[in-house]
């Protein structure tokens, strides 16, 4: 493949992630159901999620690149500031408010530190089509595979499968709708 074709493919990928994150901008109600496969337990949680699009060169993305110790010439293409608050569907109990910054470079998504894991999270991704992104990452011996699909301008679905040692441990399914 020649240099011009590589540039075109890179621009197409950059366009897809930028468009996807721009369309995710806003306040979302996320209804989540977690299925623990070994014991069959089901847990339902509702989260409010706020996403703010970040364009190339934003201070948040610059800080994220430094946090991940990326080469000084590497500039994250775009990203989002994400904040969420959890409400347990059974008890109504409010969880703690959390936030993170995510940023894209090539086909890698970098995440900020506000996760309960010992190291920084990095995921690889690709688009199945313009409305569906697939991400995967490994953390502490577990594989996380996630698919996010935009459905029009008001809805999106997410499904995450968590595996350990080649066996699926949990499936999380989310239905999210934009809040005006």
């Amino acid at each position: 493949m020649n240099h011009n074709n590589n540039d075109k493919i890179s621009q197409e990928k950059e366009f897809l992630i930028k468009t996807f994150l721009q369309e995710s901008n806003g306040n979302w109600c996320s209804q989540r159901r977690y299925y623990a496969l070994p014991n069959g337990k089901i847990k339902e949680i509702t989260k409010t999620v706020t996403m703010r699009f970040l364009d190339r060169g934003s201070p948040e993305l610059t800080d994220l690149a430094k946090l991940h110790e990326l080469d000084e010439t590497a500039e994250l293409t775009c990203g989002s500031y994400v904040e969420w608050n959890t409400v347990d569907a059974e008890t109504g109990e409010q969880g703690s408010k959390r936030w993170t910054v995510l940023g894209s470079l090539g086909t890698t998504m970098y995440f900020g530190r506000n996760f309960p894991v010992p190291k920084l999270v990095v995921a690889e991704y690709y688009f199945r089509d313009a409305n569906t992104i697939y991400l995967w990452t490994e953390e502490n011996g577990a594989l996380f595979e996630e698919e996010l699909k935009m459905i029009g301008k008001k809805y999106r679905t997410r499904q995450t499968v968590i595996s350990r040692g080649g066996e699926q441990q949990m499936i999380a399914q989310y239905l999210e709708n934009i809040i005006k």
Side-chain angles (χ1 to χ4, degrees), residues 37-53:
L37 298 177
N39 61 22
K41 285 188 175 182
I42 299 172
K43 183 161 182 81
E44 293 184 0
I45 292 176
T46 299
K47 292 188 179 201
T48 54
V49 180
T50 300
M51 296 185 72
R52 181 173 44 88
F53 177 75

Side-chain angles (χ1 to χ4, degrees), residues 11-68:
Q11 288 172 352
E12 289 173 6
K13 289 178 181 179
E14 188 173 310
F15 175 79
L16 285 172
I17 191 63
K18 189 171 188 177
T19 301
F20 193 88
L21 292 177
Q22 285 173 330
E23 290 179 355
S24 296
N25 201 52
N27 298 317
W28 295 85
C29 176
S30 181
Q31 297 171 324
R32 300 174 178 207
R33 180 173 280 175
Y34 299 91
Y35 300 91
L37 298 177
N39 61 22
K41 285 188 175 182
I42 299 172
K43 183 161 182 81
E44 293 184 0
I45 292 176
T46 299
K47 292 188 179 201
T48 54
V49 180
T50 300
M51 296 185 72
R52 181 173 44 88
F53 177 75
L54 302 171
D55 212 345
R56 180 187 313 264
S58 72
E60 296 93 338
L61 291 179
T62 301
D63 290 347
L64 182 61
K66 288 177 186 172
L67 183 65
H68 279 271

Side-chain angles (χ1 to χ4, degrees), residues 81-150:
Y81 171 86
V82 184
E83 189 174 276
W84 64 94
N85 189 18
T86 304
V87 179
D88 188 301
E90 292 175 16
T91 65
E93 183 179 316
Q94 294 274 336
S96 61
K97 186 177 273 193
R98 294 195 171 277
W99 63 270
T100 194
V101 173
L102 56 97
S104 172
L105 180 62
T107 57
T108 303
M109 188 71 66
Y110 296 88
F111 293 85
R113 273 227 183 258
N114 198 15
F115 288 99
V117 293
K119 65 180 188 170
L120 292 169
V121 175
V122 176
E124 294 300 316
Y125 72 88
Y126 70 89
F127 280 87
R128 290 194 172 151
D129 57 56
N131 296 315
T132 309
I133 188 173
Y134 177 79
L135 297 102
W136 69 96
T137 189
E138 290 188 45
E139 181 63 43
N140 292 334
L143 174 65
F144 295 80
E145 300 172 271
E146 183 168 43
E147 179 184 272
L148 291 88
K149 182 175 184 82
M150 297 295 291

